[in-house]
Amino acid sequence: MLDGLDPEQREVALALSGPVCVLAGAGTGKTRAITHRIAYGVRAGILQPASVLAVTFTNRAAGEMRGRLRQLGAGGVQARTFHSAALRQLQFFWPKAVGGDMPRLLERKIQLVADAAARCRIRLDRNELRDVTGEIEWAKVTQTVPADYPAAVAKSVRDAPRDPAEISQIYALYEQLKRDRSVIDFEDVLLLTVGILQDRHDIAEQIRRQYQHFVVDEYQDVSPLQQRLLDLWLGDRDNLCVVGDASQTIYSFTGATPDHLLNFRNRHPNATVVKLVRDYRSTPQVVHLANGLLSQARGRAAEHRLELISQRDPGPEPAYTEYADEPAEAEGTARRIRDLVAAGVPAGEIAVLYRINAQSEVYEQALADAGVPYQLRGAERFFERQEVREAGIALRGAARAGGNDSLLDDADDLPSQVRAVLSTKGWTSKPPSGSGAVRDRWESLAALVRLAEDFARAKSGATLSDLVAELDERAAAQHAPTVQGVTLASLHAAKGLEWDAVFLVGLTEGMMPITYAKTDEQVEEERRLLYVGVTRARLHLSLSWALSRAPGGRASRRPTRFLKGLRPGSGSLGSLAAAGAGGIERGIAGGRRKPRGPVLCRVCGATLTEAGAMKLMRCEDCPSDMDEALYERLRDWRAEQARELAQPAYCVFTDKTLMAIAERVPTTDGELSSISGVGVRKLDRFGADVLAICAGGDGGTGDDEH
Ligand code: ATP
Ligand code: MG
């Protein structure tokens, strides 16, 4: 267990009692050190698995930690988010502490906030509602009551999205409405648990008897409320091990603060403090850029930074690419991804990371057009899908029936049993052709099969019942199995993860830093976000930006200031626009685009900004003048093509592109190629067919007459 650690990491693993603090940069093996520490303690008989609570901040990270612990033979250890650990305790102790059933947990606040605002006679649009909801969440995790909100905001560096007095009023009414309707929200789970632990010494004692050792990953992101809960769990003991990197603080806007990490030694003068500087994740080229980024950082976190030293062999230099417009950037990115996959990099080892989720659409489209499988990191929804729920019921039934289930052969291994059960739900060994709901359903079932395979590998002798228990656990933590596709994720969602190849896209001023980062502190947090992105890459790192939003638009954008002096051709101060030189590729895909004015809606004339709308060349909710019969013929033809090519239908053309074709009814190559999604290669391959269909034929592929 200790062999896989370097001397400093080993020091962490061996310090099994008393406070321990690991301050270290990205990729230095913090997560590895704490999982090995726990596993070592358990194997050596020093830690009781059930007495250890490992906490982190996202379901995904908790799931990863559980997986790593299980592989190291410490599967009995609880690895949870603060929220899920608190929720379990709250559910368990509610009858004793309060009596009756625990109130229902509100899934989403926004409706209730809207109701509260309406009662205050304050009109808020959707975006304002979201912002006000964010303020209420911030107030709650910083333990600010409604009456104190205006003063707290004034003292902090945040900009309130509205008059703080109004927000305070909405917040107060929101709390009232929750009480009236007997619901609690996400933050209440922590607040109520804290309340119970404070008031009820008997319950606090019971929890403290159960948990003796606490480990916190990504500790730089702890909020005051989470810290309070952690203090209550600990009581007067100090068996606490925290690891973090102040330079990766990216959740300040939600109330998180690296102060607890940076002040750990003040609070615990006897703490073992370990610093790690060897970077095992990334090549010297990637690490050089990461160090360069941080060398320009300012503020408290930056004062504590450590220069990382790569332990890996040299790799390619990071690639910096400037594109003419966003669709060109997405197409160029998709093309490079396809090349990497062709060169043998598994799609699951590639990620495209962006600043905000709304940027994903254009990349989804481009990857679909390029025939590259991808997954969004919205993994939470997996277990809520209908087919997954149905599959769960079938597996549970089979597990319960055990040897009596006619489907199952006891001699079969677990994955075969799972395949047998899921084949009654539509799983087949080969994916169905085409895209759409059938394919989606199959993908979900295939993901479950893969999950069973991984599970059986990690836990030999596992039974169907074990698997069902695992699925329940994952569903509770909403941790989806990995699918073998390129990951599309926001930078925030990428923390703690790593890929062989990482594409950081949309790196323009306005997006990075994001326009609403105004104060120096907010801008510094954006720089840290880019640092998090850069340090996700093991080997290939690509950074790109587009000079305009839409094809033919004005090239008014500038690359991010954070790369100034770091990327070739950026000079030093003041020459942000000097991007064209020094190895910067310019407008790869943009080259073949004819310059055009802004794309206007064909129906209402509005300027289009959304990728989907640009593809259709009309606002998505403007009435369609599509030739429905033509669209159907195109779809039939596409299904046929997809079958012949043994590829999903969207690899031929996406639905949006087919719709655009059926709306425009092109008669020439030129007209067809002006439709977004019809590139040179597709024009060569499918152009003649499509034009024939548009002219009333059947594309020459069908044998039978219509
Ligand atoms: P982050 O700050 O991004 O969360 P981290 O410090 O938690 O990073 P890990 O994810 O634990 O880093 O480790 C980064 C990578 O380096 C992992 O692939 C891990 O397996 C590998 N690694 C860490 N320590 C060692 C080691 N001593 N020997 C070999 N590989 C290591
Ligand atoms: Mg980590």
Side-chain angles (χ1 to χ4, degrees):
M1 191 67 57
L2 299 176
D3 281 351
L5 301 179
D6 69 23
E8 293 81 22
Q9 293 170 336
R10 208 169 299 160
E11 195 185 336
V12 177
L14 288 170
L16 282 168
S17 68
V20 181
C21 173
V22 181
L23 284 164
T28 53
K30 294 183 295 299
T31 304
R32 181 175 168 116
I34 53 171
T35 45
H36 278 66
R37 176 181 186 271
I38 295 170
Y40 166 72
V42 167
R43 291 248 203 129
I46 303 165
L47 301 180
Q48 288 303 315
S51 75
V52 183
L53 181 58
V55 266
T56 176
F57 294 85
T58 63
N59 288 319
R60 171 73 180 219
E64 292 250 331
M65 207 189 268
R66 272 197 298 278
R68 289 203 204 181
L69 286 170
R70 193 162 52 216
Q71 266 167 7
L72 295 171
V77 171
Q78 302 266 331
R80 299 190 168 271
T81 60
F82 274 101
H83 182 260
S84 91
L87 182 59
R88 252 170 69 106
Q89 294 174 6
L90 194 62
Q91 278 165 337
F92 187 78
F93 289 108
W94 188 274
K96 184 169 169 183
V98 187
D101 286 337
M102 199 183 96
R104 188 170 62 82
L105 184 60
L106 197 62
E107 298 265 320
R108 303 177 64 215
K109 294 191 181 65
I110 207 132
Q111 187 53 50
L112 212 58
V113 176
D115 292 352
R119 292 215 191 168
C120 299
R121 299 184 190 288
I122 298 171
R123 278 183 61 84
L124 299 177
D125 70 23
R126 273 186 71 77
N127 293 324
E128 290 170 323
L129 264 177
R130 206 172 302 145
D131 290 343
V132 170
T133 304
E135 289 306 296
I136 294 178
E137 290 170 353
W138 174 81
K140 295 185 80 163
V141 304
T142 52
Q143 298 185 274
T144 307
V145 295
D148 294 344
Y149 172 79
V153 165
K155 227 172 83 190
S156 77
V157 292
R158 19 184 347 103
D159 297 322
R162 287 188 76 94
D163 176 2
E166 279 183 353
I167 294 179
S168 158
Q169 216 187 334
I170 298 172
Y171 175 18
L173 211 73
Y174 165 80
E175 291 293 317
Q176 180 61 47
L177 286 179
K178 258 186 327 129
R179 278 193 295 275
D180 294 350
R181 299 180 192 180
S182 305
V183 290
I184 59 174
D185 66 19
F186 202 80
E187 289 73 29
D188 289 334
V189 171
L190 297 196
L191 283 163
L192 289 165
T193 311
V194 162
I196 290 176
L197 290 175
Q198 266 167 193
D199 295 350
R200 292 287 300 260
H201 292 287
D202 55 331
I203 293 177
E205 278 317 308
Q206 205 174 330
I207 289 178
R208 287 175 199 153
R209 263 198 305 281
Q210 157 101 55
Y211 296 112
Q212 315 278 339
H213 291 267
F214 296 86
V215 178
V216 189
D217 198 1
E218 307 271 1
Y219 188 58
Q220 74 278 356
D221 279 330
V222 76
S223 72
L225 178 56
Q226 288 161 334
Q227 179 64 45
R228 179 83 194 111
L229 180 60
L230 186 59
D231 289 340
L232 285 163
W233 281 338
L234 270 167
D236 53 10
R237 303 163 302 168
D238 62 359
N239 284 330
L240 169 65
C241 171
V242 299
V243 308
D245 175 7
S247 297
Q248 291 184 66
T249 305
I250 55 173
Y251 282 101
S252 301
F253 69 98
T254 65
T257 160
D259 291 347
H260 300 286
L261 175 70
L262 295 174
N263 297 338
F264 193 82
R265 180 129 48 188
N266 300 343
R267 265 195 88 184
H268 304 276
N270 61 334
T272 308
V273 177
V274 181
K275 298 191 171 168
L276 310 172
V277 290
R278 294 188 196 85
D279 183 318
Y280 293 93
R281 176 181 294 146
S282 310
T283 61
Q285 284 70 19
V286 172
V287 168
H288 179 72
L289 177 58
N291 283 332
L293 267 177
L294 285 194
S295 72
Q296 301 181 353
R298 286 175 301 241
R300 178 146 195 245
E303 286 162 22
H304 292 261
R305 78 182 192 91
L306 302 167
E307 189 88 0
L308 295 172
I309 305 161
S310 170
Q311 304 298 300
R312 294 191 46 151
D313 290 338
E317 286 293 336
Y320 299 88
T321 314
E322 181 170 280
Y323 292 96
D325 55 67
E326 268 183 24
E329 185 180 8
E331 279 176 36
T333 303
R335 194 173 26 241
R336 292 168 92 141
I337 291 176
R338 206 181 45 205
D339 292 347
L340 282 176
V341 173
V345 181
E349 283 303 338
I350 302 174
V352 178
L353 307 179
Y354 34 76
R355 177 64 183 79
I356 55 169
N357 281 313
Q359 287 170 283
S360 79
E361 217 280 64
V362 58
Y363 288 89
E364 290 181 60
Q365 195 71 42
L367 288 173
D369 285 345
V372 176
Y374 64 86
Q375 90 219 36
L376 263 100
R377 277 192 45 108
E380 295 72 33
R381 292 189 301 274
F382 181 80
F383 283 101
E384 288 165 23
R385 291 182 199 155
Q386 190 177 349
E387 65 272 21
V388 177
R389 286 206 307 263
E390 286 172 14
I393 293 169
L395 289 170
R396 193 182 311 277
R400 214 178 293 124
N404 299 326
D405 194 316
S406 57
L407 269 173
L408 295 184
D409 182 349
D410 271 348
D412 273 351
D413 60 3
L414 175 62
S416 310
Q417 293 183 341
V418 170
R419 283 190 283 263
V421 175
L422 296 190
S423 60
T424 66
K425 295 282 153 202
W427 181 82
T428 48
S429 57
K430 278 217 178 68
S433 65
S435 62
V438 175
R439 172 70 179 226
D440 291 347
R441 182 184 172 92
W442 183 89
E443 290 287 1
S444 300
L445 297 176
L448 282 172
V449 170
R450 273 194 299 273
L451 195 152
E453 288 164 355
D454 292 349
F455 183 67
R457 238 193 319 276
K459 189 170 176 188
S460 64
T463 64
L464 205 47
S465 304
D466 295 337
L467 178 71
V468 168
E470 165 76 8
L471 293 180
D472 285 345
E473 172 108 338
R474 284 184 184 235
Q478 299 187 329
H479 174 59
T482 42
V483 276
Q484 270 300 311
V486 172
T487 296
L488 295 185
S490 71
L491 289 163
H492 280 102
K495 196 152 61 79
L497 305 179
E498 57 187 26
W499 293 271
D500 283 341
V502 169
F503 291 79
L504 304 177
V505 299
L507 298 179
T508 55
E509 282 288 305
M511 212 41 114
M512 176 56 69
I514 193 98
T515 20
Y516 51 72
K518 297 220 171 66
T519 64
D520 285 351
E521 284 177 49
Q522 288 166 338
V523 170
E524 284 307 308
E525 181 134 324
E526 297 287 304
R527 191 196 309 274
R528 293 192 292 268
L529 199 49
L530 184 56
Y531 165 74
V532 167
V534 165
T535 54
R536 299 309 98 199
R538 295 195 193 103
L539 184 59
H540 302 280
L541 176 63
S542 153
L543 304 97
S544 62
W545 57 91
L547 293 178
S548 80
R549 165 73 192 88
R554 206 162 59 85
S556 55
R557 298 183 169 184
R558 293 175 306 167
T560 173
R561 69 187 79 162
F562 298 142
L563 293 174
K564 206 186 326 173
L566 299 172
R567 65 183 170 86
S570 62
S572 52
L573 292 169
S575 58
L576 279 172
I584 307 246
E585 256 178 275
R586 200 178 158 108
I588 294 186
R592 68 177 161 75
R593 285 176 186 277
K594 289 184 281 327
R596 285 181 262 177
V599 183
L600 303 180
C601 171
R602 289 179 287 117
V603 185
C604 72
T607 302
L608 300 176
T609 54
E610 297 296 317
M614 287 185 342
K615 190 149 272 199
L616 293 172
M617 297 177 136
R618 62 170 167 80
C619 306
E620 299 216 31
D621 44 10
C622 271
S624 161
D625 50 2
M626 181 171 80
D627 177 339
E628 298 285 345
L630 173 57
Y631 180 63
E632 282 311 312
R633 288 205 303 281
L634 286 165
R635 283 181 63 96
D636 291 346
W637 165 82
R638 180 179 68 171
E640 185 93 8
Q641 291 294 322
R643 253 195 307 281
E644 278 175 21
L645 299 168
Q647 279 185 345
Y650 65 73
C651 295
V652 179
F653 285 120
T654 59
D655 286 351
K656 286 245 168 72
T657 302
L658 279 198
M659 269 183 228
I661 295 173
E663 289 185 346
R664 303 214 40 213
V665 200
T667 55
T668 64
D669 276 2
E671 281 172 22
L672 179 57
S673 69
S674 73
I675 293 173
S676 168
V678 188
V680 179
R681 208 170 294 126
K682 295 211 172 160
L683 188 65
D684 274 358
R685 199 158 176 187
F686 304 125
D689 275 9
V690 171
L691 289 175
I693 297 169
C694 290
D698 64 4
T701 53
D703 294 330
D704 45 8
E705 296 290 326
H706 290 288

